[in-house]
Amino acid sequence: MEKRQERYRIGLIVGNVEDVFSNQVCKGAMDAVEITGDDLFIFPVKYLDRCEIDKKDPKQKYEYQYNVLLSYANSKALDMLLICLSSIGYMSSEERCMEVLNSFDGIPVLLIASDVAGYSCVKYDNVSGFRDGLTYLINVRGCNQIGMLAGTRQNSDARERLDVYKEVLKKNGIPIDEKLIVRGELSEKCKESAEILIANNPNLDAIVCANDAMALAVYDVLALSDRKIGKDICILGFDDIEEAAYMKPPLATVRADASILGYRAVIEAHAILEDCNFSETRKIIVATKFILRESTSGISEQNIASGQENAEDYKKKLQDMIHMNHRMNIVNRDMLMFGNSNVYNYANFLEAFTIANINSCYMYLLSKPSEHHENHTWTLPEAIYLRSYRIGEEVVEIPRSKQRLSIDEIFNNSYLDKERRTYIIIDIYSRELQYGILMCELPYQYFHYLEMVCYQISIAIKIMGLFAVQEKLLVDKEEMVHKLKAENLLLDDISNKDELTGLLNRRGFINSVEKLLAKENNLGAKAVIIYVDLNYLKQINDRYNHEEGDFAIKICALALEETLGESGMIGRIGGDEFVGAKLVSDYGEGENIKRQVKINLQKFSDRMNKPYEVTASVGVYAFEVKEGLLLNSLMEQADDLLYEDKKRKGPFVETGRNGE
């Protein structure tokens, strides 16, 4: 790798930034990049392979989703990765941790608090401070029943501290009793392990813990007994977390400042990149120191000045907490105001997501939500979409044609702020669905709110997606309604039409005329019913075939349409029977209609040049539209008149024409 003139892009992979160790590593790294001038990208992947633990706590069921951030960190755009391997993999096997480590092929890696052959690392001195603490318990307090709440076998720090415990006991002639060693999670969640250790060993005079978080669990268990910490039983921790000095009684511990690990890791990474020397492995050991406090000494020390300083510190933190809670309430309010008009308006989202000192944030989303189930490998798509970003007060919605980026371009694109930045990557997910990430400058003092921010962003994106689905469903519904209406009209039209002539069938004619007669504004109007019977259809069928018979029926239909026009209603109600209806201005029009039907029949018959004449008998009944009229009765009246006309029909006439 050639030395670059610009600043370097360094990735930091940590566990849960709300946990003390990861939180402090981030703090130290953030302080260091202010000096080196590099960009820092923090990936809080939480912890590998916690499915079994998560199943015991339904609220943590989907915590595995954070692990996908490892895929984003595997980017050639990053010049170097700092990985807290033993922290994120403390529940995993060594093989699993190496699998993750080897996945970053081609990217220089420096390990934090882990020591793996072939990799540079920055780690604690797990020996000196812890040895001094144990020696104090044995030689000063006279303890000889010392239990250890050890960490997991997978964690290298926990293994080294257990080795120190055994070494010091052996050196002082105290036999190693495996019953006095109980393993547990390296957090306050190890309460069950603490209970087992204390219950199975009632004569314990001291407990040493692999870290201070485990010591907190021991304090909780002993609070339910009558044994006084520092008097009846001594407790020793490791890390000297912020709470250690304020516990009751204050916790004796080994000062191992995780922020120094983060700080030294960044300084070392920058130096390696500057030297372009990646073949030589470096090992930086951070010193530790035994801190004597009441939990081992049994002596209470009051420091008024320190107490006042602590009070001021807590007061400031409380004010920050109140401010953040207020800010998140406003964010929640503004996001709940989103409506259908905000669908896919990510600029509105970033305007709502305003927290003090967040100078920039970038919304990277997948083209569509991607399913990720526990115990399944998740593959990051080749592309991601930068939907919107904010720098300072300016919020920019990127045109859709320019949103598509490669994964490497997440950390190196023309939209990123030109100034040096520290970004934290926030996973956006809902249950099994991955939506993408938000990359933002979250101030360090708000890291404890990261989960809240993560959930809030995920809820907002999910709401946007639901609105989009709702909008599409509404559009689809409208289209479906229009389609169904058209199909219903078509079906209605088909069900009411005579297939041969295109006229109304009996059902269609009756429905249409009954509606005409039922209209209030037609009451008192004059109307006629026309009954038509085609003459000699049987003869035409017998002599010239049924196709000619159908042709004669069509000619009769044409004659009726020509006579009654668009204002009339016509139906074919039998093989050779037709019926029509029409509003008229004078009852005398009925005879004119009868005469015109026969004239038009003659006209069409002559025009078609068929070897037979097409004639019909016609009956026309005139009436006044009024309430209570029965259509069947009117049709019978017209049929009677048709019968009279049929008596006067002429003979079947064959023209001798050839036809066409």
Side-chain angles (χ1 to χ4, degrees):
M1 181 184 293
E2 296 181 1
K3 180 178 175 181
R4 290 193 349 209
Q5 299 302 311
E6 57 186 296
R7 61 183 180 267
Y8 299 111
R9 291 184 291 271
I10 298 174
L12 172 60
I13 296 176
V14 295
N16 185 353
V17 293
E18 294 187 51
D19 291 346
V20 175
F21 176 79
S22 296
N23 183 277
Q24 290 298 299
V25 167
C26 290
K27 181 179 184 298
M30 292 169 75
D31 289 341
V33 290
E34 292 290 341
I35 295 172
T36 63
D38 298 316
D39 285 334
L40 180 65
F41 299 88
I42 300 173
F43 300 88
V45 305
K46 290 213 172 177
Y47 305 105
L48 304 173
D49 307 322
R50 291 196 56 177
C51 297
E52 292 304 316
I53 293 177
D54 294 342
K55 285 176 182 176
K56 298 176 184 177
D57 183 359
K59 295 178 182 178
Q60 302 298 321
K61 181 178 180 181
Y62 299 100
E63 191 166 286
Y64 68 89
Q65 292 283 18
Y66 293 93
N67 295 169
V68 304
L69 294 181
L70 288 167
S71 300
Y72 290 97
N74 201 347
S75 168
K76 298 298 188 293
L78 298 175
D79 297 303
M80 196 159 195
L81 280 175
L82 313 178
I83 306 178
C84 297
L85 187 63
S86 62
S87 175
I88 66 171
Y90 80 93
M91 291 297 296
S92 304
S93 66
E94 189 171 338
E95 291 74 20
R96 171 74 168 121
C97 289
M98 289 305 298
E99 177 189 327
V100 170
L101 187 56
N102 292 332
S103 69
F104 298 104
D105 185 35
I107 305 175
V109 169
L110 185 147
L111 298 177
I112 298 177
S114 297
D115 191 354
V116 176
Y119 289 89
S120 295
C121 69
V122 176
K123 57 174 293 187
Y124 287 134
D125 170 10
N126 284 304
V127 179
S128 59
F130 203 44
R131 178 192 291 145
D132 291 344
L134 280 160
T135 302
Y136 175 87
L137 289 173
I138 296 169
N139 295 336
V140 177
R141 293 303 306 271
C143 300
N144 56 25
Q145 289 292 309
I146 304 173
M148 181 164 186
L149 195 56
T152 60
R153 289 183 174 84
Q154 294 80 6
N155 186 278
S156 58
D157 283 334
R159 290 200 303 268
E160 286 190 20
R161 291 165 199 173
L162 179 58
D163 288 342
V164 173
Y165 164 83
K166 291 180 176 179
E167 174 199 319
V168 173
L169 262 61
K170 185 177 180 181
K171 184 178 179 180
N172 286 274
I174 301 174
I176 307 299
D177 185 350
E178 292 297 332
K179 283 201 315 179
L180 297 178
I181 302 170
V182 176
R183 296 185 181 277
E185 187 174 343
L186 286 157
S187 74
E188 293 178 61
K189 295 181 181 179
C190 71
K191 190 173 179 180
E192 184 177 341
S193 299
E195 288 171 343
I196 292 171
L197 175 62
I198 293 169
N200 291 345
N201 300 282
N203 297 321
L204 285 175
D205 50 24
I207 299 175
V208 296
C209 304
N211 65 16
D212 289 349
M214 300 181 88
L216 289 171
V218 173
Y219 269 51
D220 288 341
V221 174
L222 289 174
L224 302 176
S225 71
D226 57 0
R227 304 184 73 184
K228 302 297 181 184
I229 297 175
K231 300 291 185 182
D232 305 318
I233 187 169
C234 297
I235 309 296
L236 174 66
F238 196 112
D239 283 336
D240 195 24
I241 62 175
E242 193 173 9
E243 292 92 330
Y246 311 132
M247 292 165 65
K248 293 184 179 179
L251 176 66
T253 183
V254 176
R255 180 164 292 163
D257 193 340
S259 67
I260 296 178
L261 291 180
Y263 184 93
R264 291 295 301 273
V266 167
I267 298 298
E268 200 63 28
H270 183 86
I272 292 171
L273 290 168
E274 285 287 290
D275 296 341
C276 296
N277 185 357
F278 302 100
S279 58
E280 179 186 346
T281 58
R282 310 184 186 191
K283 185 180 294 187
I284 308 298
I285 305 298
V286 175
T288 58
K289 179 183 178 182
F290 170 52
I291 304 298
L292 179 62
R293 294 195 183 107
E294 189 178 347
S295 70
T296 56
S297 69
I299 301 171
S300 176
E301 296 182 4
Q302 297 293 331
N303 188 324
I304 297 174
S306 176
Q308 291 175 340
E309 184 180 320
N310 293 339
E312 289 298 318
D313 186 41
Y314 274 113
K315 182 179 178 181
K316 184 179 183 305
K317 288 182 180 179
L318 180 60
Q319 289 173 340
D320 285 342
M321 186 182 299
I322 292 171
H323 169 78
M324 186 60 172
N325 287 338
H326 176 66
R327 183 62 251 169
M328 288 307 298
N329 285 336
I330 293 174
V331 170
N332 293 345
R333 179 202 66 192
D334 291 347
M335 288 181 178
L336 287 173
M337 296 302 109
F338 287 171
N340 289 53
S341 61
N342 299 102
V343 171
Y344 294 142
N345 191 339
Y346 299 104
N348 282 0
F349 167 80
L350 292 184
E351 285 173 356
F353 185 65
T354 52
I355 298 175
N357 301 324
I358 292 186
N359 295 316
S360 57
C361 50
Y362 297 81
M363 176 71 72
Y364 295 98
L365 296 181
L366 306 176
S367 59
K368 60 180 181 180
S370 172
E371 286 193 18
H372 175 37
H373 299 274
E374 63 179 353
N375 298 321
H376 290 113
T377 301
W378 187 73
T379 303
L380 188 64
E382 292 182 0
I384 199 162
Y385 295 80
L386 178 54
R387 301 301 192 189
S388 183
Y389 68 91
R390 177 165 63 83
I391 298 178
E393 298 298 321
E394 182 185 10
V395 177
V396 179
E397 188 88 14
I398 299 175
R400 283 196 170 266
S401 60
K402 297 182 179 180
Q403 291 181 1
R404 192 177 191 275
L405 301 174
S406 69
I407 300 303
D408 289 342
E409 289 177 305
I410 291 175
F411 314 109
N412 183 23
N413 61 70
S414 59
Y415 302 107
L416 293 178
D417 197 340
K418 305 307 178 189
E419 300 296 322
R420 193 215 69 75
R421 298 292 178 196
T422 291
Y423 297 104
I424 191 161
I425 317 300
I426 300 174
D427 186 36
I428 304 173
Y429 74 94
S430 175
R431 295 173 65 88
E432 293 90 358
L433 293 179
Q434 279 286 329
Y435 293 107
I437 58 173
L438 183 77
M439 188 171 84
C440 70
E441 289 185 281
L442 187 67
Y444 167 74
Q445 65 266 32
Y446 295 146
F447 271 23
H448 287 294
Y449 288 89
L450 185 70
E451 252 187 20
M452 182 191 296
V453 172
C454 168
Y455 297 149
Q456 188 58 62
I457 295 167
S458 300
I459 289 168
I461 298 300
K462 185 172 184 176
I463 288 173
M464 286 184 184
L466 291 175
F467 277 138
V469 170
Q470 181 188 45
E471 195 169 78
K472 185 178 184 303
L473 288 174
L474 289 174
V475 171
D476 290 347
K477 177 186 173 184
E478 289 299 316
E479 290 178 355
M480 184 63 71
V481 168
H482 288 310
K483 185 178 179 181
L484 287 173
K485 283 182 179 178
E487 289 178 351
N488 286 338
L489 287 172
L490 180 62
L491 288 171
D492 188 59
D493 190 52
I494 292 171
S495 66
N496 287 307
K497 288 290 180 71
D498 174 58
E499 187 176 353
L500 179 62
T501 63
L503 300 177
L504 294 169
N505 57 22
R506 174 183 287 275
R507 175 175 173 271
F509 177 79
I510 291 173
N511 287 342
S512 298
V513 176
E514 284 183 343
K515 289 178 182 178
L516 177 75
L517 299 178
K519 284 185 178 179
E520 190 174 342
N521 58 351
N522 286 337
L523 291 175
K526 299 177 180 63
V528 292
I529 290 287
I530 305 102
Y531 222 107
V532 178
D533 186 78
L534 190 62
N535 295 329
Y536 304 116
L537 179 62
K538 185 176 186 304
Q539 286 84 341
I540 295 172
N541 282 330
D542 291 346
R543 297 184 188 185
Y544 300 101
N545 71 45
H546 283 274
E547 286 185 6
E548 291 298 327
D550 289 346
F551 190 80
I553 291 170
K554 291 177 183 178
I555 289 176
C556 188
L558 288 171
L560 281 168
E561 288 181 315
E562 180 83 5
T563 303
L564 296 183
E566 292 183 0
S567 62
M569 297 178 183
I570 311 165
R572 181 186 175 207
I573 60 173
D576 56 1
E577 291 182 298
F578 298 83
V579 66
K582 186 175 183 179
L583 295 176
V584 296
S585 57
D586 187 270
Y587 291 129
E589 284 189 44
E591 285 303 314
N592 292 335
I593 290 171
K594 177 179 178 180
R595 184 169 51 254
Q596 194 62 45
V597 169
K598 295 189 176 187
I599 291 171
N600 286 334
L601 265 175
Q602 184 67 49
K603 179 178 69 173
F604 283 119
S605 183
D606 292 343
R607 185 183 299 170
M608 299 304 176
N609 198 30
K610 291 295 182 179
Y612 51 83
E613 291 284 353
V614 180
T615 63
S617 300
V618 182
V620 180
Y621 178 70
F623 63 95
E624 179 185 342
V625 179
K626 55 186 176 182
E627 292 182 1
L629 284 175
L630 297 176
L631 181 57
N632 281 341
S633 176
L634 297 174
M635 290 171 63
E636 287 174 3
Q637 296 282 0
D639 191 25
D640 289 343
L641 293 173
L642 176 144
Y643 183 71
E644 293 299 322
D645 189 56
K646 189 177 281 290
K647 290 178 182 179
R648 298 187 290 272
K649 73 178 179 179
F652 177 59
V653 177
E654 295 183 275
T655 65
R657 295 180 291 223
N658 292 329
E660 295 181 357

